[in-house]
Amino acid sequence: MSSVPDGKKLVRSPSGLRMIPENGAFSSPFSLDEPQWVPDKECPRCMQCDTKFDFLTRKHHCRRCGKCFCDKCCSKKVLLPRMCFVDPVRQCAECSLVSQKEMEFYDKQIKVLTNGATFTVTLGTSEKSESMVCRLSNNHRYLFLDGDSHFEVELSRVSSFQILTEGFAPGEKDIHTYTSLLESQYITEEKDIHTYTSLLESQYITEGGNTRASGMLLQYKAVGSQDLQQLKLNAREDNKTASAWLVAMHKAAKLLYESRDQ
């Protein structure tokens, strides 16, 4: 399916022009659906400052949350790539801050993920491993792994993943597993591995600092199968490109989680 061309079409919605896939099934897993606008008759006052709407004080809808605000509380126009808008769109103060933070992901982290990095890859419980380049596909829907062999993991079929880190504190070396649970609500805590659930805003995995992203553990369902399969990626200690890729993937987890939870 990754070889199917992703056609685009320009559509006009009440919120603005959007460039979306011709086939909705080919949407980016990071994308969000447009919200339903709060009906005008249900919002006689601004939902932020409580100003009453009248002939002079007009109501505006935030394109991200769909709530109703006055001009002062919904004056910013910010890019919103997660909803495929072509131009910046009107958003409330809270939503505009979130969208601005997400732009860092689209401006920087997406490029890191699509450029890819080299890892030592182990499939399932196999004792054999292979050096492979892992990258995000240009349509953001697949992880491509290329070495002596090639295979793909569709992000929509990933049930959970764990970013492995090595933290260095005085007198100790520890390994933490930061987990984004995309379907399952439970995971087990193994010996010498501390499991943190849904730490999507964690400050421990950052560029620089004393913690290095060292690997990733994926559980996913292959196309046509309901059985969970496991994939483990390990980065060499001196491979800064691979560590940066893992940091970017950690940030992508939050967007994936939000998209599925909407």
Side-chain angles (χ1 to χ4, degrees):
M1 289 295 291
S2 64
S3 61
V4 176
D6 296 331
K8 301 274 188 175
K9 62 181 178 181
L10 188 65
V11 299
R12 181 179 293 277
S13 74
S15 299
L17 287 174
R18 303 172 66 216
M19 185 66 75
I20 63 174
E22 291 182 349
N23 187 330
F26 294 160
S27 296
S28 165
F30 302 120
S31 65
L32 296 173
D33 293 333
E34 280 190 85
Q36 291 288 329
W37 284 10
V38 175
D40 287 350
K41 62 182 180 180
E42 295 181 11
C43 53
R45 295 177 178 273
C46 175
M47 300 179 77
Q48 178 64 40
C49 68
D50 205 37
T51 296
K52 186 177 181 179
F53 296 121
D54 54 29
F55 181 74
L56 295 177
T57 306
R58 298 181 58 191
K59 58 187 65 175
H60 301 277
H61 286 86
C62 172
R63 272 50 174 174
R64 186 179 180 112
C65 68
K67 294 179 181 179
C68 196
F69 303 92
C70 68
D71 182 67
K72 290 183 179 179
C73 295
C74 194
S75 61
K76 293 186 178 181
K77 290 191 175 182
V78 181
L79 289 170
L80 185 48
R82 295 188 70 185
M83 292 184 187
C84 304
F85 286 112
V86 174
D87 302 308
V89 292
R90 188 184 292 269
Q91 297 179 55
C92 66
E94 182 178 352
C95 287
S96 65
L97 287 175
V98 174
S99 295
Q100 287 170 348
K101 289 180 180 179
E102 289 175 352
M103 281 309 301
E104 179 185 355
F105 175 79
Y106 280 89
D107 288 340
K108 299 179 181 180
Q109 307 302 330
I110 281 288
K111 294 177 183 178
V112 172
L113 292 172
T114 54
N115 285 340
T118 302
F119 297 92
T120 301
V121 179
T122 306
L123 290 174
T125 57
S126 172
E127 295 182 357
K128 295 182 179 180
S129 58
E130 181 180 347
S131 179
M132 307 184 82
V133 174
C134 183
R135 67 178 181 87
L136 183 69
S137 64
N138 291 332
N139 61 14
H140 309 161
R141 295 176 52 236
Y142 297 87
L143 289 179
F144 291 155
L145 293 101
D146 290 290
D148 292 335
S149 58
H150 168 87
F151 66 95
E152 305 165 1
V153 176
E154 191 171 358
L155 286 183
S156 64
R157 299 185 66 83
V158 174
S159 60
S160 70
F161 77 87
Q162 304 168 25
I163 300 294
L164 310 176
T165 70
E166 292 183 357
F168 300 90
E172 68 175 39
K173 178 178 180 180
D174 206 355
I175 299 178
H176 304 274
T177 304
Y178 295 80
T179 305
S180 168
L181 297 184
L182 303 181
E183 289 181 1
S184 173
Q185 296 299 312
Y186 304 96
I187 55 177
T188 58
E189 183 169 325
E190 302 175 1
K191 183 179 180 182
D192 297 329
I193 297 181
H194 305 289
T195 304
Y196 299 82
T197 303
S198 296
L199 287 185
L200 302 176
E201 296 289 355
S202 171
Q203 297 301 310
Y204 288 97
I205 302 181
T206 57
E207 294 89 343
N210 294 322
T211 304
R212 183 182 70 88
S214 60
M216 179 170 70
L217 188 65
L218 282 177
Q219 287 189 324
Y220 67 98
K221 295 177 182 178
V223 176
S225 173
Q226 292 301 312
D227 296 330
L228 280 178
Q229 300 186 38
Q230 182 171 291
L231 176 70
K232 186 174 183 180
L233 282 67
N234 284 320
R236 285 172 41 181
E237 190 169 340
D238 59 347
N239 192 334
K240 294 182 179 180
T241 301
S243 293
W245 192 94
L246 292 169
V247 170
M249 197 65 204
H250 174 259
K251 293 179 180 179
K254 182 176 186 294
L255 304 191
L256 289 169
Y257 183 86
E258 287 177 349
S259 294
R260 295 190 185 186
D261 196 43
Q262 67 174 354

